[in-house]
Amino acid sequence: MKTDTKISGSGKIGQGEYNLIKISGSGAIEGPVTFETFKVSGSCKVCPNAALEGNEMHISGSIHSQSEIKVNTLHVSGSLHSENDMKVRSLKASGSCHLQGKIYADEIYVSGSLKSSEEVNADIVEIRGMATLNDLFGEQITFIPENCNSFNFFRFAKHRKLSNVKNIECTTLEAGCLQCDTISAKNILLTDGCVVNHIQCDGTLSYDSTCQIGTVEGNCAQKLLS
């Protein structure tokens, strides 16, 4: 029978099957655990070889994981630092996510910050905050940071940061305020000061006058937006 376990002061949780894990103090996960719900409003350390697997995680505090995370839904309004791979169906982050392992997801929605030194792979990726990524793969990818629009671009250009991605491969990309080394996609829309060194496109490439684009390869129709 699955049980509930809660830490409100400081404590450790060992290997087991749980219905609810709730940490509002300072806790450590020392063995593999499965769960229905995992909530962290305090701080949590996940030790090596203490894999997390369950239905849903809610992080409003901070968690530092050295083990694999495998969940259906992951909500981060606090801080997540993961040193291992993550497999999720849905990641929604309004806080901070720092990933050192690979992440595989069906959908990723970020209104906070996302940083990864490894591969990020998801069918749908929507970034409305800030991202610093290495390789990003997906079907439909969108970078639309809040307050990113052409009307304000020149006035505030010196004070704004761009999301930075080394390599993007997808079917459809819509991006504003993005700096990228290489983009490979069928259909691409770039606005609001995007800076891209190289583009491989076999469909349509649309961009406005605020963008800086290097070389373009492929059989694509190009359109400069007014």
Side-chain angles (χ1 to χ4, degrees):
M1 182 177 178
K2 295 181 179 180
T3 60
D4 295 347
T5 183
K6 301 179 181 180
I7 296 175
S8 56
S10 63
K12 301 176 182 179
I13 297 174
Q15 179 176 354
E17 297 183 5
Y18 302 92
N19 179 54
L20 170 66
I21 298 174
K22 185 175 182 180
I23 299 175
S24 55
S26 175
I29 309 296
E30 296 192 324
V33 296
T34 61
F35 52 85
E36 179 64 26
T37 305
F38 192 139
K39 295 183 178 181
V40 178
S41 57
S43 64
C44 177
K45 177 182 178 181
V46 183
C47 300
N49 302 315
L52 307 181
E53 183 172 356
N55 183 40
E56 58 180 328
M57 290 182 67
H58 299 267
I59 312 299
S60 58
S62 66
I63 185 169
H64 184 166
S65 176
Q66 295 175 284
S67 293
E68 183 181 44
I69 297 175
K70 185 185 295 185
V71 294
N72 288 326
T73 59
L74 174 58
H75 297 265
V76 181
S77 57
S79 173
L80 165 67
H81 183 183
S82 175
E83 298 183 18
N84 211 313
D85 292 349
M86 292 176 51
K87 297 179 181 178
V88 302
R89 288 186 179 178
S90 176
L91 168 62
K92 296 182 179 181
S94 58
S96 170
C97 293
H98 182 190
L99 312 176
Q100 291 177 262
K102 297 178 181 179
I103 180 169
Y104 301 95
D106 291 342
E107 55 184 26
I108 296 175
Y109 298 96
V110 177
S111 57
S113 66
L114 176 64
K115 182 177 181 180
S116 176
S117 56
E118 281 287 352
E119 171 185 331
V120 175
N121 195 321
D123 292 336
I124 298 174
V125 179
E126 184 178 291
I127 308 292
R128 292 186 176 273
M130 295 297 299
T132 303
L133 309 174
N134 193 32
D135 292 317
L136 176 58
F137 306 114
E139 291 294 325
Q140 181 178 329
I141 297 176
T142 306
F143 283 83
I144 306 293
E146 294 296 329
N147 302 318
C148 183
N149 56 73
S150 298
F151 178 80
N152 290 325
F153 180 78
F154 291 106
R155 184 179 299 176
F156 299 109
K158 294 182 180 179
H159 305 289
R160 302 168 72 204
K161 295 182 179 179
L162 305 181
S163 287
N164 195 308
V165 183
K166 183 176 180 181
N167 176 52
I168 295 176
E169 294 183 21
C170 62
T171 302
T172 302
L173 172 67
E174 179 181 345
C177 297
L178 171 68
Q179 182 169 335
C180 187
D181 286 349
T182 62
I183 294 173
S184 178
K186 181 177 181 181
N187 297 308
I188 302 171
L189 171 63
L190 303 175
T191 61
D192 302 289
C194 287
V195 179
V196 183
N197 293 333
H198 179 75
I199 291 177
Q200 173 70 44
C201 176
D202 294 315
T204 60
L205 169 60
S206 302
Y207 55 94
D208 67 21
S209 60
T210 67
C211 297
Q212 301 177 40
I213 297 175
T215 57
V216 178
E217 294 183 1
N219 184 23
C220 72
Q222 296 189 40
K223 180 181 180 180
L224 178 61
L225 304 174
S226 58

